């Protein structure tokens, strides 16, 4: 089955491990992610100022691109893109006045009515493939791995965009369980990673990352599973700075959930780009006889 | 601390602008403190999120605009998801930042950042940072 796919900028640079592993894993599950022919940056963070209408335009253009290619939905992988595209879609669907302003500002584009749905790949796998069917395709069960799922903020908050329970989401647990992995229950799974502060306030991110990572380590996790290239950067690459500040810190590999899927589906490390990780997960995978 | 509440302060124009930009009604807050209890960034804040709302309720906008808190808040929406009065504190923080940024005062000056700082950083982080910290 073909499904439209909006990558966003980061998946083409630091997040190639997420993009390539997602495309490969989805294909093995019978979902062909077809990249939109034309797309632009969604603008990253959704503007929270009521009177800032201009920042919505980039995301609306992507939705129009999908519509003119004949799609009624598209899949995202990056949590920020998911959040922004869905938030903007909600504005078009629920705010007549803003919709009117946006459409008349973009007079060169056809009017957009909010009729393209924005999905995250987690939802697409759950609803189009089904975790039960997915489990049948697993050739290398991850049963020796203890994984702590990490959602961060933007798949769950604010309320209007939540793809699962805000306080105790379980969609990633269900997916990981279907790969055979042992899921570690971690209360820090919805805590913020420190996000864009990573550019100008590394110390603040180190504090966030240390709390999240050490909680997973303390609960016996071998690794963490994420969905977002910015969360991944803060939890993986910032372990360098975390290690410098906290002498007792024990590094822990951070996967994209799609990389774990690739391993479990027998696709090997090729689509995973593990060389981009700070804490290389390959030694763990080898130790568990998964590579 | 002694606080003088005057009618003039309560009808402050800047506070009205914060309500307008955020779309939130500050007076609805009954100071339960849930927003601060769940906030992952309180360690780095000088004023707690519920105190920010309280200060705005009593017309003390200067303290709010001078706080470290409004810049430390990273729009994680934990407060939004838990406020029993349905107030989106993240939006109030954004509105306070906007008051400053719209006066052409950039919090982060991209032209002063050493290019090396950007090396290897995800675009999503760089663009978000500049959207949040520049006018
Ligand atoms: S959670 Fe809501 S009502 Fe409670 S203190 Fe915070 S803003 Fe006020
Ligand atoms: S949005 Fe800001 S104030 Fe609210 S919980 Fe997150 S960091 Fe704290």
């Amino acid at each position: 089955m073909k499904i439209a796919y909006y990558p966003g900028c980061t998946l083409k640079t630091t997040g190639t491990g997420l993009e390539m592993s997602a495309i490969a894993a989805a294909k093995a599950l019978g979902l062909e992610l077809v990249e939109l022919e034309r797309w632009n940056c969604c603008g990253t963070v959704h503007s929270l100022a009521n009177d800032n209408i201009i920042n919505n335009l980039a995301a609306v253009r992507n939705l129009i691109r999908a519509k003119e290619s004949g799609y009624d939905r598209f899949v995202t992988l990056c949590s920020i893109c998911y959040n922004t595209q869905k938030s903007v879609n909600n504005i078009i669907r629920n705010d007549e006045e803003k919709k009117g302003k946006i459409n008349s500002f973009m007079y060169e584009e056809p009017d957009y009515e909010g009729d393209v749905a924005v999905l995250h790949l987690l939802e697409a796998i759950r609803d189009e493939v089904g975790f039960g069917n997915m489990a049948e395709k697993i050739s290398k069960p991850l049963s020796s791995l203890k994984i702590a799922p990490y959602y961060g903020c933007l798949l769950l908050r604010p309320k209007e965009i939540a793809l699962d329970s805000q306080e105790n989401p379980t969609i990633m647990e269900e997916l990981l369980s279907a790969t055979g992995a042992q899921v570690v229950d971690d209360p820090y799974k919805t805590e913020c990673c420190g996000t864009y502060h990573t550019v100008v306030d590394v110390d603040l991110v180190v504090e966030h990352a240390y709390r999240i990572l050490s909680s997973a380590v303390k609960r016996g996790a071998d690794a963490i599973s994420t969905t977002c290239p910015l969360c991944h950067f803060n939890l993986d690459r910032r372990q360098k700075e975390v290690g410098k500040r906290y002498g007792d810190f024990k590094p822990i590999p951070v996967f994209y959930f799609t990389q774990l899927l690739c391993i479990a589906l027998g696709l090997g490390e090729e689509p995973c780009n593990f060389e981009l990780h700070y804490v290389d997960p390959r030694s763990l995978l080898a130790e568990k006889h998964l590579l | 601390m002694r606080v003088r509440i005057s009618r003039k302060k309560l009808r402050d124009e800047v506070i009205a602008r914060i309500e307008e930009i955020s779309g939130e009604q500050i007076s609805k807050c009954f100071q339960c403190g849930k927003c601060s209890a769940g906030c992952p960034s309180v360690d780095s804040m000088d004023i707690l999120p519920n105190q920010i709302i309280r200060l705005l309720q009593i017309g003390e906008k200067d303290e709010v605009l001078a706080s470290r808190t409004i810049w430390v808040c990273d729009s994680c929406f934990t407060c939004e998801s838990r406020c029993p009065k349905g107030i989106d504190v993240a939006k109030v923080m954004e509105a306070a930042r906007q008051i400053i940024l719209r006066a052409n005062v950039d919090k982060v000056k991209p032209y002063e950042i050493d290019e090396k700082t950007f090396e290897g950083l995800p675009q999503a982080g760089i663009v978000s940072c500049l959207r949040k910290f520049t006018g």
Side-chain angles (χ1 to χ4, degrees):
Chain A
M1 190 188 120
K2 288 188 179 187
I3 193 158
Y5 155 58
Y6 169 77
C9 312
T10 311
L11 268 68
K12 300 292 179 185
T13 55
T14 62
T16 51
L18 172 56
E19 170 168 68
M20 287 168 58
S21 58
I23 291 174
K27 191 168 169 217
L29 294 172
L31 277 182
E32 189 187 338
L33 298 183
V34 185
E35 183 171 327
L36 293 177
E37 270 177 39
R38 279 172 64 203
W39 56 265
N40 48 262
C41 171
C42 65
T44 72
V45 276
H46 177 234
S47 174
L48 301 179
N50 231 354
D51 55 356
N52 183 340
I53 294 177
I54 202 92
N55 275 17
N56 295 308
L57 301 189
V60 175
R61 285 193 205 281
N62 289 324
L63 293 157
I64 294 174
R65 296 287 86 79
K67 174 117 201 237
E68 68 191 12
S69 304
Y71 298 116
D72 60 2
R73 58 188 176 159
F74 68 60
V75 162
T76 54
L77 295 173
C78 165
S79 302
I80 309 177
C81 298
Y82 165 80
N83 187 290
T84 299
Q85 288 290 158
K86 196 163 172 181
S87 301
V88 171
N89 214 21
N90 283 342
I91 289 179
I92 299 280
R93 287 177 176 186
N94 305 323
D95 190 327
E96 279 296 319
E97 196 189 326
K98 282 188 187 162
K99 178 175 88 178
K101 281 187 183 159
I102 289 170
N103 279 330
S104 52
F105 185 86
M106 294 198 297
Y107 58 87
E108 80 289 5
E109 299 272 18
D111 278 2
Y112 177 63
E113 300 293 333
D115 38 1
V116 174
V118 177
L119 299 175
H120 189 269
L121 182 64
L122 281 170
E123 295 170 293
I125 296 177
R126 179 191 61 197
D127 302 338
E128 303 301 329
V129 180
F131 294 143
N133 292 334
M134 192 191 97
E136 285 170 21
K137 300 209 162 114
I138 300 298
S139 57
K140 262 193 184 226
L142 307 181
S143 36
S144 52
L145 276 185
K146 294 194 194 99
I147 307 283
Y150 174 76
Y151 293 83
C153 310
L154 297 179
L155 296 179
L156 303 170
R157 299 186 292 269
K159 291 182 195 74
E160 313 82 67
I161 66 94
L163 55 67
D164 201 351
S165 151
Q166 289 196 296
E167 293 293 342
N168 190 20
T170 53
I171 185 167
M172 211 188 316
E173 279 86 337
E174 288 162 36
L175 178 135
L176 292 171
S177 299
T179 67
Q182 302 171 52
V183 177
V184 175
D185 188 22
D186 184 356
Y188 280 80
K189 68 184 178 182
T190 63
E191 186 100 346
C192 178
C193 70
T195 173
Y196 50 82
H197 282 285
T198 206
V199 182
V200 287
D201 194 346
V202 177
D203 288 349
L204 194 138
V205 171
V206 165
E207 290 308 314
H208 282 69
Y210 176 67
R211 275 204 301 260
I212 295 163
L213 296 164
S214 48
S215 165
V217 171
K218 200 164 74 194
R219 287 171 172 80
D222 299 314
I224 292 173
S225 164
T226 62
T227 69
C228 170
L230 186 52
C231 297
H232 191 273
F233 181 89
N234 285 343
L235 296 185
D236 175 56
R237 296 214 80 86
R238 288 290 178 227
Q239 287 193 42
K240 188 174 170 198
E241 287 82 7
V242 171
K244 274 189 202 147
R245 166 123 20 125
Y246 294 97
D248 63 331
F249 178 70
K250 187 178 158 282
I252 177 169
V254 183
F255 289 97
Y256 291 114
F257 74 101
T258 47
Q259 292 171 324
L260 289 165
L261 263 181
C262 280
I263 300 296
L265 289 163
L267 304 171
E269 63 170 290
E270 209 262 324
C272 297
N273 271 5
F274 287 135
E275 61 280 2
L276 293 179
H277 292 224
Y278 175 70
V279 182
D280 194 328
R282 283 175 287 197
S283 47
L284 170 69
L285 292 173
E287 185 191 310
K288 304 281 182 186
H289 309 292
L290 290 167
L291 271 189
Chain B
M1 185 177 84
R2 187 162 165 187
V3 180
R4 279 182 196 282
I5 302 175
S6 69
R7 189 167 296 175
K8 193 162 155 268
K9 270 192 184 168
L10 290 177
R11 293 206 184 128
D12 186 276
E13 209 184 298
V14 171
I15 295 175
R17 286 281 293 140
I18 289 179
E19 287 203 321
E20 199 183 307
I21 296 173
S22 66
E24 301 299 313
Q25 189 188 332
I26 308 282
S27 60
K28 280 202 303 193
C29 165
F30 56 10
Q31 287 295 300
C32 67
K34 267 198 164 203
C35 47
S36 305
C39 175
S41 302
V42 279
D43 294 0
S44 313
M45 291 175 170
D46 50 357
I47 300 176
L48 297 173
N50 71 298
Q51 293 172 328
I52 291 279
I53 305 291
R54 185 66 183 146
L55 286 166
L56 294 172
Q57 284 179 334
I58 60 173
E60 295 292 329
K61 62 156 195 282
D62 294 343
E63 253 186 89
V64 170
L65 296 182
S67 71
R68 178 168 154 79
T69 295
I70 59 174
W71 304 106
V72 164
C73 162
D74 48 21
S75 308
C76 75
F77 303 104
T78 308
C79 48
E80 179 272 353
S81 70
R82 294 181 184 167
C83 173
K85 297 293 285 178
I87 299 169
D88 190 337
V89 181
K91 282 192 172 170
V92 177
M93 299 283 190
E94 176 84 10
R97 289 189 291 265
Q98 287 299 321
I99 296 286
I100 295 169
L101 297 174
R102 288 180 189 184
N104 248 346
V105 183
D106 290 338
K107 179 69 178 171
V108 166
K109 300 180 177 58
Y111 38 91
E112 285 178 7
I113 300 180
D114 180 4
E115 267 176 45
K116 282 211 187 78
T117 310
F118 293 126
E119 263 171 33
L121 284 175
Q123 276 98 333
I126 299 172
V127 180
S128 301
C129 172
L130 299 182
R131 278 220 153 162
K132 285 287 188 180
F133 292 140
T134 62

